[in-house]
Amino acid sequence: MDLDAFVRALPKAELHLHIEGSLEPEMMFELACRNGVALPWDSVEATRAAYAFSDLQSFLDLYYAGAAALIQERDFFDLAMAYFERAHADGVVHAELFFDPQTHTARGIAFETVLDGLERACGEAQARWGISSRLILCFLRHLSEEDGLATLQQALPHLARIHGVGLDSSEKGHPPSKFLRLFARCRELGLHIVAHAGEEGPPAYIVEALDLLGVERIDHGVRAAEDAALMARLAREQVALTVCPLSNVKLCVFQRLEQHNLKQLLDAGLKVTINSDDPAYFGGYIAQNYVDTARALGLSRVELKRIARNSLEASFVPEALRQPWF
Ligand code: HPA
Ligand code: ZN
């Protein structure tokens, strides 16, 4: 079996996927047209050509501009369905989707519009492809904690439909400690907790995410390699890292995939998973991330199986509800 077929056949969970980051330029233009929204680019080709990033912020500027095409409930539904179709083709059996409500509510879109569309797609994906899914509300860390608390207030009537919370957007200068009260409240509400940390930010942000926010997984976390004590702790506590190799190269965290430290993290005993982050912007969905990383780092099929198994084990599906492939 060739590598691509092997990877697609592996049952896997995607644990780090921003649904707004799966908005392909073709759909962006289709939605912008049907909603009468102006985009900063003239064409699909010009949009793709603009996807040359120097760091996280240069990507986020475009990512937020593209999200402006999303207005109606059915836009969020269509967006998530397009993602699930690709995920199914890649062998994803379970997906935990990040969504950024503040990106939409700040433009006057109702919180419910976003959630209703995404949740309807989750139900449809289960019915059509048997994919289970969860929704994780991400707070934008470049905004204030008060803004996050107001967003949590909007989410309160819908907590049965939201399984966890995360922290994303510009990392540098916005440490986890900025959101201490917000995440304490989320923990009291029984939500699962994750946070982006150690993508561009220092290892100390990973420690803060663990100790101050109480995260159950670290999103990215690759800069943990700079702190030996932290590496030992992550291995000992088996904290899952949701690593996104193609994203890391596109955002210049590593200059080339061959220089990525994923194998180093794996060899140190960390619970590493592979995910796509924002696949429409970074040039590949989850299977592509597995295949390209395996080729660049010489990962064996045993290691790829381990990574896929890690993803299932690190998911937020309770033991009692796990399907046979878990
Ligand atoms: N990092 C931080 N924020 C994000 C990302 C990311 O990789 N993708 C979308 N929002
Ligand atoms: Zn991310």
Side-chain angles (χ1 to χ4, degrees):
M1 201 191 290
D2 71 17
L3 182 60
D4 194 67
F6 173 80
V7 162
R8 282 172 205 281
L10 276 180
K12 62 185 84 60
E14 174 133 73
L15 304 178
H16 187 157
L17 179 282
H18 302 264
I19 197 61
E20 294 90 348
S22 71
L23 179 56
E24 293 285 345
E26 287 78 6
M27 183 177 282
M28 194 191 291
F29 274 80
E30 203 182 301
L31 299 185
C33 184
R34 99 180 170 198
N35 291 325
V37 171
L39 292 170
W41 308 283
D42 291 338
S43 65
V44 166
E45 294 69 34
T47 307
R48 281 226 163 78
Y51 292 175
F53 311 115
S54 52
D55 57 11
L56 174 59
Q57 193 59 51
S58 65
F59 152 70
L60 289 170
D61 293 343
L62 266 67
Y63 164 84
Y64 295 129
L70 297 159
I71 306 279
Q72 307 175 61
E73 187 264 4
R74 69 170 172 147
D75 302 340
F76 292 94
F77 173 80
D78 289 348
L79 173 68
M81 285 309 285
Y83 164 70
F84 280 125
E85 186 164 11
R86 287 175 183 265
H88 173 63
D90 278 6
V92 171
V93 294
H94 176 74
E96 301 191 354
L97 275 50
F98 293 147
F99 69 109
D100 290 342
Q102 288 154 300
T103 299
H104 312 299
T105 53
R107 301 181 289 117
I109 313 292
F111 184 94
E112 290 74 15
T113 301
V114 181
L115 187 60
D116 288 352
L118 296 179
E119 199 201 21
R120 187 157 66 88
C122 291
E124 187 66 25
Q126 175 77 62
R128 214 181 278 189
W129 299 296
I131 300 184
S132 60
S133 55
R134 298 285 187 269
L135 293 173
I136 298 181
L137 183 168
C138 278
F139 297 107
L140 300 181
R141 67 203 302 161
H142 67 273
L143 300 178
S144 66
E145 185 176 48
E146 283 64 34
D147 206 305
L149 284 162
T151 300
L152 179 60
Q153 199 63 32
Q154 289 178 295
L156 285 183
H158 309 288
L159 284 192
R161 308 197 271 162
I162 297 168
H163 294 87
V165 292
L167 187 63
D168 66 359
S169 191
S170 323
E171 186 180 5
K172 284 195 235 166
H174 302 285
S177 52
K178 179 178 163 186
F179 299 96
L180 203 56
R181 288 179 306 147
L182 174 59
F183 279 77
R185 183 82 192 101
C186 291
R187 285 199 311 276
E188 282 166 15
L189 290 166
L191 290 158
H192 285 291
I193 312 281
V194 296
H196 284 53
E199 177 187 17
E200 283 191 342
Y205 283 18
I206 300 175
V207 176
E208 281 193 14
L210 291 166
D211 293 341
L212 302 183
L213 304 189
V215 297
E216 296 158 81
R217 303 191 297 242
I218 294 285
D219 296 315
H220 293 295
V222 292
R223 287 195 61 194
E226 296 166 29
D227 180 336
L230 176 58
M231 286 287 281
R233 175 181 179 185
L234 293 171
R236 193 173 58 245
E237 297 178 7
Q238 286 294 286
V239 178
L241 301 189
T242 64
V243 180
C244 306
L246 292 179
S247 161
N248 291 153
V249 173
K250 277 282 185 189
L251 301 188
C252 306
V253 174
F254 298 96
Q255 292 313 311
R256 288 160 40 81
L257 198 50
E258 289 73 12
Q259 295 163 348
H260 200 286
N261 67 3
L262 182 139
K263 187 160 163 53
Q264 182 195 342
L265 301 172
L266 203 59
D267 289 346
L270 272 64
K271 200 174 184 82
V272 172
T273 67
I274 290 182
N275 309 269
S276 68
D277 209 5
D278 301 281
Y281 292 87
F282 299 150
Y285 286 76
I286 191 168
Q288 194 77 51
N289 272 271
Y290 271 74
V291 168
D292 289 359
T293 307
R295 291 219 169 95
L297 303 181
L299 299 180
S300 69
R301 293 190 181 198
V302 171
E303 286 170 319
L304 292 173
K305 274 192 192 171
R306 176 77 249 162
I307 291 167
R309 175 119 298 277
N310 286 347
S311 73
L312 297 170
E313 288 174 3
S315 80
F316 290 146
V317 179
E319 299 277 343
L321 295 182
R322 292 189 176 189
Q323 300 292 318
W325 31 257
F326 265 89

